[in-house]
Amino acid sequence: MAKRRLRTGPTAALPAKPDPAELLRIVRLADPGAKKDGDDIVATDVRVYAPVEAESELTGGELEKVWAVRVAAEGPLPLNFFDRYLAEGLAFRLKGLAVCRGEVTDPADEEESGPAVILPARPAAEELAPLLEQDEEDEFAFTAGDIRAVLVPEKGQPPAVQELLPFAVELTAIELRGDEPAKLGALALELAESLNGLVVDRWRFRVDAAEDLVPPTRE
């Protein structure tokens, strides 16, 4: 099979060809309504193209073998950078790299980011008090031990949390930051359970277990 030169559009560059069913399962973490369209996957105003074997130079030689999964916008995105987030989230879960506008990044190496708890309305400080301690100088900042949290309006409408939209008064995110992904995930899930919210990762993929935030081990 001829290898393709693929340089345009956000792309997940993977070390092995992903199983089609597994690829669809992962895309549905970002958009539960995603469905197959031939060999491609169609999500909300984006198309995830079927994996193709590509040249190693796509990743600057970082990967010896490359299977490229390109993501292309096909309409107004439900949130800014949704196409890029899809590519990066896929790369994270499938032990690959992300390529966007010629820049190669490793999503597993990103720091200063973490999960978010998405809520249909902004919670009152007393609702957060059992799990988070409010900052004395900033009414929107909180802590839980060495974990930092900030309350912000959620921009756009991530498809992963579409089940909250019928009840949304002011879609709000509790953004969590810290050095231990599993610990962040555990707190996020506890907050979601307490406040009737949903947990997503930095790319707005649904998170159902704390381990989902831990970078997978590469061979």
Side-chain angles (χ1 to χ4, degrees), residues 68-205:
V69 178
R70 186 166 66 92
V71 182
E74 294 193 328
L77 297 177
L79 69 157
N80 289 340
F81 311 116
F82 183 53
D83 52 347
R84 192 188 80 191
Y85 288 170
L86 270 176
E88 292 176 347
L90 286 169
F92 176 80
R93 286 164 175 76
L94 293 169
K95 306 179 183 181
L97 302 173
V99 184
C100 187
R101 296 183 179 178
E103 181 181 2
V104 180
T105 59
D106 184 349
D109 285 345
E110 290 190 24
E111 299 179 354
E112 293 303 317
S113 61
V117 181
I118 309 299
L119 306 173
R122 177 175 293 185
E126 52 267 26
E127 294 180 273
L128 300 174
L131 295 171
L132 297 174
E133 181 178 349
Q134 188 167 17
D135 187 280
E136 294 181 356
E137 299 180 357
D138 186 345
E139 64 176 309
F140 301 113
F142 301 82
T143 57
D146 57 357
I147 294 176
R148 305 178 305 282
V150 62
L151 203 60
V152 297
E154 174 65 13
K155 297 179 180 179
Q157 296 184 344
V161 299
Q162 61 185 8
E163 65 189 77
L164 296 179
L165 298 183
F167 314 101
V169 176
E170 182 183 7
L171 211 58
T172 301
I174 305 174
E175 299 277 0
L176 301 179
R177 299 291 181 267
D179 297 326
E180 300 178 55
K183 191 173 178 181
L184 288 170
L187 177 59
L189 290 166
E190 195 172 359
L191 283 164
E193 177 70 21
S194 173
L195 299 168
N196 296 315
L198 294 171
V199 180
V200 294
D201 63 17
R202 72 191 77 165
W203 305 288
R204 287 343 192 216
F205 281 61

